[in-house]
Amino acid sequence: MQSSKSGFRALAGIAALTALVFGAGLYSLNVSAQPKLDIHFVPTPHEVVKRMLELAKVGPDDIHYDLGSGDGRIVIAAVKDFKAKKGVGIDLDPQRIKEANENKAKAGVGDNVTFREQNIFETDLSEASTVSMYLLTSINIRMRPKLLKELKPGTRIVTHAFNMGEWKEEHSESVEGYQVYLFIVPANVNGKWEVSEGERKISLDLKSEFTELSGTATVNGKSSTLKDSKITGTKIEFTIDLDGKPVKYEGNVDGGTITGSGASKWSAKKS
Ligand SMILES: C[S@@+](CC[C@H](N)C(=O)[O-])C[C@H]1O[C@@H](n2cnc3c(N)ncnc32)[C@H](O)[C@@H]1O
């Protein structure tokens, strides 16, 4: 009797251990199948989505990307309510992609909306003309070099709740207690430029970081520091002291050329 009891105990022990090991195996399988998210899903309220897309001025010419697209609401609204020609949502979590595709079917937005199961750090962003992000300041800052490298100057980026660190926003406001920010990708104007304005020749040495612009202008061998300088997307402005008088220059940057806007007839070439 004693021996059958201890045999039963031994069998029960082995069964319990097997269950534990098997369970742990399943658990670790499950854990390893989970994507490594930089942040978990929290949806942006619909009224905030609307204001973000208004601030980004999303319209029929735009291709909108939502980085970390969750249940797809921003991309769907960009196409359905703001008539963007295309919307792309990127999310690393397959569960979110599934929900986003279900919401896309319910919204009837068709093939103009796509959701891709991808890491935002490994996604080519170059076709986007408007972008939204509800991530964290630290993730926005990690994304900054990629945004500045791949997005065209003038691309509008709207973020919910979190800013971009030293990259100053063009606009920020609270929507029913939720903070939203607008950023515009600046043209890269770093370097030396030769300005021609009729007979006058000016050499510029520009330094830009995000939207901050500084530099010097050299006219007839005399250098002065630029004043009131700023870069907003492709628009550049600065003031030069010419013969003791401040002269304001405004222009539009297109690669290695700046074309003066307004009444002034000036242009600049990168040297
Ligand atoms: C705070 S939610 C925002 C969802 C949606 N954009 C919105 O505002 O309603 C962040 C989303 O980012 C996704 N995510 C986190 N890390 C990611 C990564 N590295 N690549 C792609 N998606 C990621 C999460 O799965 C989650 O759905």
Side-chain angles (χ1 to χ4, degrees), residues 22-111:
F22 188 64
L26 273 183
Y27 177 76
S28 69
L29 266 180
N30 190 32
V31 165
S32 64
Q34 294 295 313
K36 201 181 161 309
L37 300 175
D38 289 288
I39 177 156
H40 287 281
F41 175 54
V42 182
T44 297
H46 288 287
E47 67 274 23
V48 181
V49 170
K50 179 170 178 276
R51 187 62 189 138
M52 287 168 79
L53 296 173
E54 280 171 4
L55 285 178
K57 294 195 168 71
V58 174
D61 292 333
D62 288 312
I63 297 182
H64 186 81
Y65 270 52
D66 187 30
L67 306 181
S69 47
D71 65 6
R73 60 182 62 197
I74 299 185
V75 183
I76 291 169
V79 170
K80 191 172 181 186
D81 305 333
F82 287 77
K83 311 294 171 216
K85 67 178 169 198
K86 183 173 168 184
V88 180
I90 309 293
D91 207 292
L92 203 48
D93 189 340
Q95 180 58 30
R96 298 285 95 79
I97 297 291
K98 184 172 169 286
E99 285 166 15
N101 278 321
E102 286 163 6
N103 290 334
K104 167 185 155 172
K106 277 187 217 148
V109 280
D111 293 340

